[in-house]
Amino acid sequence: AAVVARNVVDYQTLAVDLCLAALTGDGVYNLGQLEASPVLAYLQSQPDAWLVQMLHAVSAGDLEAFASLTSQHATSIQKQPALVHRANAVQEKLLLLALVRLVFTKDAHDRTLTLNELAVGLGNIPVDQVEWVVMRALSVHLVEGHLDQVDGTVTITWVRPRALNTSQMTELGGRLEAWAHKAQVARTAMQEQVPGTFA
């Protein structure tokens, strides 16, 4: 059933509710579709605009932006019971999406990360907590792969597809351009080695 809002206040309330539900909801990791929703524009220049910024930070797995926002808006956060009571769930979601962000920065053919590398990338958390984050990401099917505790590495073979925001699409476009360049270099090398290969 569609929700029909009648005025700006209804849209603002809806935007707040959607942000809170996305941030605190169990199993909700694909925040990109909500980020693209026009209803969030109703919070621009409003006292609750920080919720949209927090949604963007969590969706991007941006630990620094999230820490800055929680510090800057601590009083407002305390006025939102959902965020207060589900603070651990929001922190978990942030860490899981930060892991996805770290994996996404690696080339698809080279997604083996050390536990120490992940510890630093996840905000200098202890290595045993990194193992928990990886196991949790595997269990909720955000990623697939394996954890090698002997070598202290994690190999990611698959990342759950999700809606990308503009900056993520730009980054992906850059990767595709780099891949196309590598493919062209390989084609040229093959053509030089075996003339007429691509005739």
Side-chain angles (χ1 to χ4, degrees):
V3 176
V4 178
R6 295 192 178 110
N7 58 45
V8 172
V9 173
D10 288 343
Y11 282 119
Q12 290 170 346
T13 301
L14 178 61
V16 167
D17 290 346
L18 286 171
C19 286
L20 291 172
L23 288 167
T24 62
D26 288 330
V28 180
Y29 300 103
N30 190 352
L31 306 175
Q33 290 176 318
L34 178 56
E35 285 183 289
S37 173
V39 75
L40 296 185
Y42 285 93
L43 291 182
Q44 286 179 353
S45 303
Q46 296 299 315
D48 290 324
W50 61 271
L51 273 169
V52 176
Q53 296 168 340
M54 186 172 279
L55 178 73
H56 293 315
V58 171
S59 179
D62 189 338
L63 299 164
E64 290 179 13
F66 184 82
S68 175
L69 287 165
T70 54
S71 174
Q72 185 179 356
H73 299 287
T75 304
S76 297
I77 290 170
Q78 291 303 312
K79 294 177 184 176
Q80 292 292 346
L83 290 177
V84 172
H85 297 302
R86 302 276 300 156
N88 289 340
V90 175
Q91 187 66 34
E92 176 185 308
K93 185 176 294 192
L94 175 65
L95 281 173
L96 291 173
L97 292 174
L99 173 65
V100 170
R101 177 185 185 183
L102 286 171
V103 170
F104 191 71
T105 63
K106 295 288 207 174
D107 289 333
H109 65 279
D110 184 30
R111 289 197 170 152
T112 298
L113 300 102
T114 67
L115 294 178
N116 290 329
E117 180 182 1
L118 288 172
V120 171
L122 295 175
N124 292 313
I125 63 174
V127 172
D128 62 332
Q129 191 176 355
V130 171
E131 292 176 5
W132 182 88
V133 172
V134 170
M135 299 285 272
R136 183 71 176 136
L138 290 166
S139 73
V140 297
H141 305 292
L142 277 176
V143 297
E144 289 180 3
H146 64 275
L147 172 65
D148 184 336
Q149 291 177 314
V150 174
D151 290 339
T153 60
V154 176
T155 301
I156 304 299
T157 57
W158 176 84
V159 178
R160 179 189 290 174
R162 62 188 193 136
L164 302 177
N165 62 31
T166 305
S167 65
Q168 291 168 326
M169 287 192 309
T170 301
E171 182 181 342
L172 184 58
R175 286 178 174 211
L176 288 172
E177 286 178 16
W179 175 81
H181 176 72
K182 285 180 184 178
Q184 183 60 38
V185 168
R187 180 178 192 256
T188 302
M190 287 176 65
Q191 184 68 30
E192 290 172 359
Q193 295 292 321
V194 185
T197 304
F198 297 103

